[in-house]
Amino acid sequence: MKNLIKITFVTVMVLCINSCADDLLDNSGVSGSSQPTQFLTSAQLEEAASTNLGIPAAFVGGIYAQMIQVESGGTTNHDDFGQKGYDIFGDMLSGDMALSVSTYGWYRSDITEFQAPLDYTFSRNRMVWRYYYRIVRSANTVIQNLGGNDAVPENDANKFAMGQAKAMRAHSYFYLAQYFQKEYVASEPILPLYKEPINTNLPKSTAAEVYELMESDLVDAISLLDGFNRTAKNEVNQDIAKALLAYVLGAKGGRDTEVATLTQQVIDAGGYSMLTSGEVATNCFCDVNTSSWMWGIDITENNGLDLISWWGQIDAFSYSYAWAGDYKAIDKSLFDAIPANDARKGQFLNNPASGRYLQPLFKFFASNTIGGASQVVTADYVYMRIEEIYLLNAEANAKSGNDFAARTSLKAVLANRIPDVSYVDALSGQALQNEIYLQTRIELWGEGKSYLAMKRNKATTVRGTNHLSFVGVPIPYNDERMQFEIPLDEIQNNPFIGDQNN
C-alpha cells in the first residue's frame, strides 16, 4: 500500500506538469488572500523526492500550470485566468490598451474607470493578490523541500528545480511590488514577505526587503540554472532569470549599468531572433515555436481553455468578447505616433468607419475567421520576446549615459520595422529615452509590458479619443488610480495589516 501511494503520487505530479488540478495547488488564503489552506505539503514532497528525483521538477511544472489556470484569482470572473489576465489589467491601466466598445462590461468599471484601485472592497484587488501569493506559496514548498533558502542541491535535476522555483518566487514578488506600490521607496512597508510555506500571517516588509529577496533569488537562480537545457519554453532558464533580474533592477532604479549588462548577456547568448518586417504582420503571435519567443507556453486542448482566456478577451479571431462586443484596441494617440511606413502600423485595423477600428486584427489572430471556428483555445501564450530585451537594454544604456549603445540596440529592433533608422543617430539624452519608451509601447503592445515600462520611465499617461472614459486626462505613473489596493479580506484577517500602502 505504501509503494502504491508513492507510485500514485508520482503519477499525479507528472500529470501536473501539463494540467495541475486545483485541489492539488489551491493556495487559497487563510484569510481569503495571501495564505494557502490547501497545498502539497512539505512532508509529501520530501517523501516523494526521496524515491524519485523527478518529483521536485514535476512540482515546478505545477507552478507553471498555475500561470494559465482559470479562477486562480479566486473568482468565477471571465477575466480570471492567470498571468495573462493581469497583463491585460496592466495594459489597460497604462492606457495603451483601450476598451473601445463595451457590451458585456468586462474591465469597464473596475479597471478602465479605476474603481478597483480606489476601493479595496473590489474583487480585482483580491484576484491579483491571491494569484501571485499562490505561486509564492508553491515556490516556497519546493524550495523548503530541496533544503531551504540557503541550500544548493547536489543533484542537477534538483538544482534546476530550485533555480526555477526561486525565479518564480521573485517573478511573483516583482508583480506584487509593481501592482501594490506606487513607486520604489526603500523604507515603505509594502508586502508580507513569505520565505517558507508557513500558515501564519506576517506584517508588511519594506520595499528594500522585498527587492533584496527578489535580487537574491534571481542571482541564485542564474547560478543554479547554469547548464540547464529546458525541454519546453514554459520553463525558466538562465536567460529568463537574467531578464527577470534586469526587470527587478530596472524597477528599483539606479542600477542601469547592471540592467544593461544583464540584457546584453541575454542578447549575446543567442538562440533567439527578432521578427522580420514581413513577419511582423504575418506572425499570429500564437505559436510558442516562434524564434523571437524566449518564454511562453504551448496551449493544447488538454489545458481546457476557452472563452475564459487571454485569447477569449483580446482576439477577434477567437470565440471571444473581442469578437462579440467588448473590443480592445490600441490607444488612438499611440497608433497615430506610429509612422505610416512602420510595419507595425499594419497590425491594427486602420478603418475609422469600421466598428473594429484599431483592433489588433493583424497582430493577434488564432484563426482565419472572425469569431473563430471553435470555442477551444489552442493558440499559445507569450510571456517574453527577445525584442523586449533589446529595448530594455537600449533603455538602460540611455539612462546610464551610454547613448551609443542605446542607439545600437534600438536600431537593431527598428531595422526590422521601418525602412530608414538613421534618425536615431541624432537622438541623445532625454530625447533618446523618450523614443525608446515610445518604441517599447509600440513593439510590445498587448503583451503586458506597457505598465512596467510606464513605471520605469515615470511616465504620465493621457488616453486617446477611442477610450470610453478619462479621455485626455493626464494621469501620472504614481497616481492612486494606477495601483491596486491591499484587498479587504487581507485587511480583515491579517492582524498585522490595517492600512493601505502610501
Side-chain angles (χ1 to χ4, degrees):
M1 177 63 71
K2 190 172 183 179
N3 289 336
L4 178 60
I5 291 173
K6 286 183 178 180
I7 291 170
T8 303
F9 180 74
V10 169
T11 302
V12 169
M13 287 308 302
V14 171
L15 290 174
C16 191
I17 294 175
N18 293 317
S19 181
C20 197
D22 189 56
D23 61 346
L24 181 65
L25 284 174
D26 178 15
N27 290 335
S28 307
V30 166
S31 63
S33 52
S34 68
Q35 286 304 297
T37 54
Q38 294 179 342
F39 55 90
L40 186 63
T41 67
S42 299
Q44 288 174 315
L45 184 55
E46 183 176 9
E47 180 182 2
S50 67
T51 57
N52 188 319
L53 294 176
I55 289 301
F59 192 54
V60 171
I63 298 175
Y64 296 133
Q66 290 182 83
M67 294 181 73
I68 64 168
Q69 187 176 352
V70 172
E71 300 181 4
S72 52
T75 74
T76 58
N77 296 336
H78 287 198
D79 54 0
D80 187 348
F81 44 81
Q83 176 61 43
K84 296 302 292 182
Y86 307 114
D87 285 350
I88 296 174
F89 281 10
D91 281 343
M92 288 192 163
L93 287 177
S94 74
D96 283 355
M97 180 179 287
L99 182 64
S100 60
V101 174
S102 177
T103 301
Y104 299 93
W106 296 110
Y107 305 99
R108 178 72 182 269
S109 59
D110 288 36
I111 302 301
T112 66
E113 295 178 357
F114 303 117
Q115 292 186 28
L118 295 174
D119 186 343
Y120 72 131
T121 67
F122 276 71
S123 65
R124 270 65 188 179
N125 297 294
R126 182 178 184 267
M127 283 168 55
V128 179
W129 186 272
R130 182 182 189 271
Y131 166 76
Y132 287 111
Y133 270 116
R134 292 178 84 230
I135 292 182
V136 166
R137 180 63 188 225
S138 296
N140 281 339
T141 301
V142 174
I143 292 166
Q144 177 173 294
N145 289 282
L146 290 174
N149 288 294
D150 298 325
V152 178
E154 294 184 6
N155 176 273
D156 277 351
N158 288 346
K159 187 184 299 183
F160 298 151
M162 175 75 91
Q164 292 174 78
K166 285 195 169 187
M168 288 306 301
R169 181 169 68 178
H171 178 268
S172 288
Y173 276 124
F174 171 67
Y175 275 93
L176 285 166
Q178 292 301 286
Y179 279 131
F180 289 94
Q181 186 182 30
K182 291 180 179 179
E183 57 186 321
Y184 180 75
V185 177
S187 61
E188 181 187 357
I190 58 169
L191 299 168
L193 193 60
Y194 298 96
K195 302 178 186 178
E196 292 87 21
I198 58 177
N199 285 316
T200 57
N201 289 304
L202 292 178
K204 290 189 284 188
S205 293
T206 65
E209 292 167 330
V210 174
Y211 275 79
E212 181 181 1
L213 179 64
M214 287 190 279
E215 184 175 351
S216 173
D217 273 353
L218 290 166
V219 168
D220 287 349
I222 291 167
S223 175
L224 290 162
L225 292 171
D226 188 31
F228 174 53
N229 294 312
R230 60 186 179 178
T231 57
K233 284 187 180 179
N234 69 293
E235 300 172 321
V236 171
N237 64 7
Q238 193 176 58
D239 288 339
I240 306 305
K242 287 181 177 180
L244 291 175
L245 180 56
Y247 270 111
V248 168
L249 298 181
K252 185 176 182 180
R255 307 281 291 276
D256 297 311
T257 300
E258 294 169 78
V259 174
T261 298
L262 285 163
T263 49
Q264 192 62 52
Q265 288 174 358
V266 175
I267 292 168
D268 293 342
Y272 318 99
S273 57
M274 288 187 283
L275 295 174
T276 66
S277 57
E279 291 172 326
V280 167
T282 60
N283 184 282
C284 60
F285 288 80
C286 65
D287 185 357
V288 74
N289 296 308
T290 302
S291 60
S292 69
W293 286 29
M294 297 174 58
W295 191 23
I297 185 167
D298 180 14
I299 303 295
T300 69
E301 289 188 13
N302 290 336
N303 295 121
L305 297 185
D306 47 40
L307 177 65
I308 309 175
S309 65
W310 185 91
W311 291 94
Q313 285 289 355
I314 303 299
D315 175 46
F317 288 90
S318 298
Y319 179 81
S320 66
Y321 288 105
W323 155 62
D326 279 0
Y327 297 168
K328 288 81 175 180
I330 187 173
D331 173 86
K332 187 177 185 304
S333 297
L334 180 59
F335 177 78
D336 290 344
I338 306 175
N341 62 354
D342 189 321
R344 296 168 299 185
K345 203 170 186 85
Q347 293 176 333
F348 308 94
L349 181 63
N350 188 9
N351 179 3
S354 170
R356 300 186 183 279
Y357 183 45
L358 300 184
Q359 276 193 291
L361 297 186
F362 311 108
K363 179 170 185 177
F364 304 116
F365 42 96
S367 75
N368 58 5
T369 304
I370 293 288
S374 171
Q375 295 186 29
V376 178
V377 170
T378 57
D380 300 337
Y381 282 172
V382 58
Y383 300 140
M384 187 180 293
R385 286 196 289 134
I386 190 61
E387 285 88 347
E388 71 189 77
I389 306 304
Y390 275 88
L391 289 163
L392 188 56
N393 177 268
E395 178 187 303
N397 276 310
K399 288 179 177 178
S400 64
N402 191 345
D403 287 354
F404 177 81
R407 289 191 291 262
T408 298
S409 290
L410 178 58
K411 288 193 294 184
V413 176
L414 294 182
N416 295 300
R417 307 293 181 263
I418 60 178
D420 184 5
V421 301
S422 61
Y423 79 96
V424 174
D425 292 325
L427 299 176
S428 63
Q430 190 60 52
L432 178 57
Q433 291 182 43
N434 292 345
E435 182 65 14
I436 295 167
Y437 175 50
L438 172 62
Q439 295 302 330
T440 299
R441 295 168 62 202
I442 294 170
E443 178 66 30
L444 303 174
W445 185 90
E447 299 176 49
K449 309 298 179 178
S450 291
Y451 181 85
L452 305 179
M454 175 195 71
K455 297 193 75 170
R456 285 196 314 273
N457 289 277
K458 302 184 185 300
T460 294
T461 65
V462 181
R463 292 182 177 181
T465 56
N466 60 331
H467 288 261
L468 299 178
S469 55
F470 293 92
V471 172
V473 178
I475 305 175
Y477 72 99
N478 57 359
D479 189 280
E480 196 74 35
R481 290 167 287 187
M482 289 294 179
Q483 323 303 320
F484 288 103
E485 297 271 81
I486 296 175
L488 170 64
D489 47 9
E490 183 71 14
I491 298 289
Q492 288 179 329
N493 296 291
N494 186 339
F496 301 108
I497 299 179
D499 62 348
Q500 294 295 331
N501 295 335
N502 294 328

